[in-house]
Amino acid sequence: MKAIALFLRFAALLDCLLLSYPILAVLEIIFSRQLDPRLSFSRLGLVLLAGFLGALTGWLLDRMKNPPVQAVRLLLAAAPAALFAGCCLTLLERTALHVALVLLCLTFYLIALFFATRPFDEFVGTSFLSFTVITYLLAAVISWFCGAYLQMNCDPLVLTISFLSFLLLYAFISNQSAINRLMGRRHYDLALLPAGVRRYNLVFICAAFLLVLSGLLFKKQIGMVFQFLFRLLGSLLYIFVILFNLLTWALRTTARPDEPLPQSSGLPVFGSVQEAASTPMVNVFVQWLAVLVIVLFLFSLRRTVWSAVKTAASAIWRVLKHLFTRSQKGKKVCAASSAYFYDTFEALEQTAQESPSPKEPASFRIWQRRYRDFLKKPQDDSFLQEGYLLILSWLRMRGAPLSPADTTLEILNKALIRLPDSPFSRVTEGYNGVYYGERPLQKEDIASLLQTLRILSQSK
């Protein structure tokens, strides 16, 4: 969990520093009367560098074991800022824009210095998001107005990319903070959460960001691809029209002209013979009415027809999958892998060969006999799984309300009342890591398992 906490701190710091670019864009428009993406990237890099320098300085000062007096700490905090400002003024030209840029760097140096000494949750909130969105919106409006009416060269590319990056980082932070709050509300141990849950959310958010960013950067190429596809579709439709005209021409050349119907009685025929041979209008009306009734009937049965189509498609898919899939004999099929986590029903009390678990012991003496037999087995992955099942058997003997659908986190919560002083949480963490393939079996897992079983065997 330390890695994800460090990542969230870094993302929150970068998210806070991205608030500087709308101010920087307005300063560039005021002093240089243009918004060049190449110059904007370099100036934004200076501000970010100053911010990270301030965060590093604050982190080092906060971790001092014997901190000096407040005045000395202020001098230590101001020394990197003065050195950074002097280097910038020496290397850059002495213009009003660069002086404003140095002042902006010092401002965000102080903000990052303050950020490094505060808890993480104080910098995640809706007010921060609303304030940043309003700032970016004002900068975009100023850029558009100066480019449209004042004839300035204002390219909002960097402004758009920085705003999308801010939203990406904010989505990361909000998602992971929501997971932490949910786990804490249910009193679950956050260390037992499979890593696939976090990775799946991060990958999904990154994919959405890359899709939007690619549409922004390569909009001309994407437009050309769609134009080519539309032309290809139009060519296919034109070929269909040619084939239809050819078919109708062939039918017209082979068809014979209408002939009068033979008269089987002496009834008089009203009108000409050719008109009597044609189809009455009422027959055409009846035919279209029948078609309409059939369409309405099929529309009323649309749900039944759709379910039948889905059932047939799934049956065909199962048959094809059975034909073209290799047999998985001797291999364990898990609903949750190391890369992704699927919230499905898993029978935790089954062995690797999918065999049912043994019968529950009728007494504590039988459980102790099974425990002694268990200690003679080799210490491998199945050893950890059988030991975990042995702990579950003891919990059932003590009246724990366990069910086959319980997850390891739910079992741990139900066992904390009956196992307050045992390392069962570490056993559960090791079991999750081995069962889901996230890490190999370690000596600490075996030691925690044996210590827990020893405590259970000594209890009366």
Side-chain angles (χ1 to χ4, degrees):
M1 294 299 108
K2 292 184 178 180
I4 192 66
L6 181 62
F7 169 75
L8 291 178
R9 291 283 299 183
F10 177 80
L13 174 62
L14 184 58
D15 213 28
C16 180
L17 295 179
L18 285 177
L19 181 59
S20 62
Y21 185 71
I23 305 173
L24 179 61
V26 174
L27 291 176
E28 288 183 352
I29 293 174
I30 292 174
F31 291 105
S32 64
R33 304 184 65 83
Q34 66 175 354
L35 198 59
D36 190 3
R38 293 173 296 179
L39 298 176
S40 296
F41 268 122
S42 60
R43 290 162 183 162
L44 179 61
L46 284 177
V47 178
L48 296 181
L49 182 61
F52 284 118
L53 181 62
L56 179 61
T57 305
W59 181 76
L60 292 176
L61 292 177
D62 189 57
R63 292 183 63 87
M64 295 179 64
K65 294 183 179 179
N66 298 317
V69 295
Q70 191 70 20
V72 177
R73 295 187 67 183
L74 290 177
L75 289 176
L76 292 176
L83 181 62
F84 182 84
C87 292
C88 290
L89 292 176
T90 303
L91 297 176
L92 300 176
E93 297 180 0
R94 300 280 182 91
T95 61
L97 176 60
H98 291 159
V99 173
L101 176 62
V102 171
L103 293 178
L104 185 65
C105 291
L106 293 178
T107 302
F108 278 88
Y109 175 88
L110 295 177
I111 292 175
L113 183 69
F114 179 79
F115 180 91
T117 58
R118 289 296 180 273
F120 168 71
D121 291 338
E122 292 186 6
F123 294 92
V124 181
T126 309
S127 58
F128 179 66
L129 174 65
S130 304
F131 178 72
T132 308
V133 170
I134 292 173
T135 307
Y136 271 96
L137 181 61
L138 290 177
V141 170
I142 293 173
S143 173
W144 169 79
F145 180 81
C146 294
Y149 294 98
L150 301 181
Q151 304 301 323
M152 294 184 183
N153 183 19
C154 297
D155 190 355
L157 178 63
V158 183
L159 189 67
T160 307
I161 293 177
S162 60
F163 179 65
L164 292 177
S165 303
F166 166 79
L167 292 182
L168 171 70
L169 296 172
Y170 191 84
F172 282 161
I173 298 167
S174 301
N175 181 266
Q176 301 305 315
S177 301
I179 292 177
N180 296 347
R181 287 195 299 269
L182 181 62
M183 297 292 289
R185 188 182 305 167
R186 297 186 177 182
H187 305 288
Y188 289 161
D189 189 1
L190 194 61
L192 302 179
L193 182 68
V197 174
R198 295 186 182 274
R199 285 198 294 265
Y200 173 78
N201 293 336
L202 296 182
V203 169
F204 182 76
I205 296 172
C206 282
F209 170 75
L210 291 177
L211 182 63
V212 176
L213 190 62
S214 61
L216 174 66
L217 298 177
F218 307 103
K219 53 185 178 182
K220 293 183 179 180
Q221 291 80 357
I222 295 175
M224 293 175 61
V225 170
F226 275 101
Q227 186 178 5
F228 171 75
L229 292 177
F230 282 131
R231 288 180 179 177
L232 182 61
L233 180 61
S235 302
L236 293 177
L237 293 177
Y238 184 70
I239 293 173
F240 175 76
V241 171
I242 292 176
L243 292 177
F244 180 76
N245 292 333
L246 181 62
L247 180 62
T248 54
W249 174 79
L251 292 176
R252 284 198 306 267
T253 55
T254 58
R256 295 184 300 174
D258 294 337
E259 296 179 357
L261 296 174
Q263 298 296 323
S264 58
S265 63
L267 296 175
V269 177
F270 298 96
S272 63
V273 177
Q274 184 71 24
E275 183 181 357
S278 62
T279 304
M281 191 63 188
V282 66
N283 292 347
V284 177
F285 178 76
V286 170
Q287 291 174 3
W288 280 104
L289 183 61
V291 171
L292 180 61
V293 170
I294 293 173
V295 170
L296 292 177
F297 178 73
L298 292 177
F299 181 77
S300 63
L301 298 178
R302 63 188 183 280
R303 299 183 184 276
T304 305
V305 174
W306 177 243
S307 62
V309 170
K310 289 196 298 183
T311 304
S314 61
I316 295 173
W317 172 251
R318 285 195 300 267
V319 172
L320 294 176
K321 187 177 180 181
H322 179 72
L323 290 176
F324 295 99
T325 304
R326 296 180 179 179
S327 60
Q328 300 291 333
K329 294 182 179 180
K331 295 184 179 180
K332 179 180 178 181
V333 180
C334 296
S337 63
S338 60
Y340 299 101
F341 176 77
Y342 302 93
D343 191 9
T344 57
F345 179 82
E346 294 182 4
L348 298 178
E349 300 186 21
Q350 292 185 0
T351 60
Q353 289 79 18
E354 300 296 332
S355 60
S357 60
K359 295 182 179 179
E360 298 296 335
S363 63
F364 184 69
R365 183 178 301 175
I366 299 176
W367 186 89
Q368 285 183 329
R369 188 184 307 123
R370 285 178 52 189
Y371 168 63
R372 289 192 294 269
D373 296 337
F374 168 75
L375 294 179
K376 301 176 184 178
K377 297 182 178 181
Q379 297 181 356
D380 51 4
D381 294 350
S382 61
F383 182 82
L384 179 62
Q385 185 175 1
E386 293 181 11
Y388 187 80
L389 297 179
L390 200 59
I391 296 175
L392 297 188
S393 300
W394 187 90
L395 289 174
R396 283 200 176 88
M397 289 173 52
R398 297 298 180 179
L402 303 181
S403 65
D406 285 343
T407 62
T408 54
L409 296 177
E410 294 171 343
I411 293 174
L412 177 60
N413 289 332
K414 296 177 182 179
L416 289 177
I417 302 175
R418 296 166 179 82
L419 301 173
D421 300 327
S422 66
F424 185 57
S425 59
R426 293 195 295 270
V427 176
T428 306
E429 181 179 358
Y431 177 81
N432 279 340
V434 175
Y435 185 82
Y436 294 112
E438 295 180 352
R439 61 180 180 86
L441 182 65
Q442 301 177 1
K443 294 182 180 180
E444 292 80 5
D445 302 334
I446 300 296
S448 302
L449 175 65
L450 295 177
Q451 183 180 357
T452 304
L453 291 173
R454 190 181 305 113
I455 295 174
L456 299 184
S457 63
Q458 295 174 359
S459 62
K460 300 295 183 181

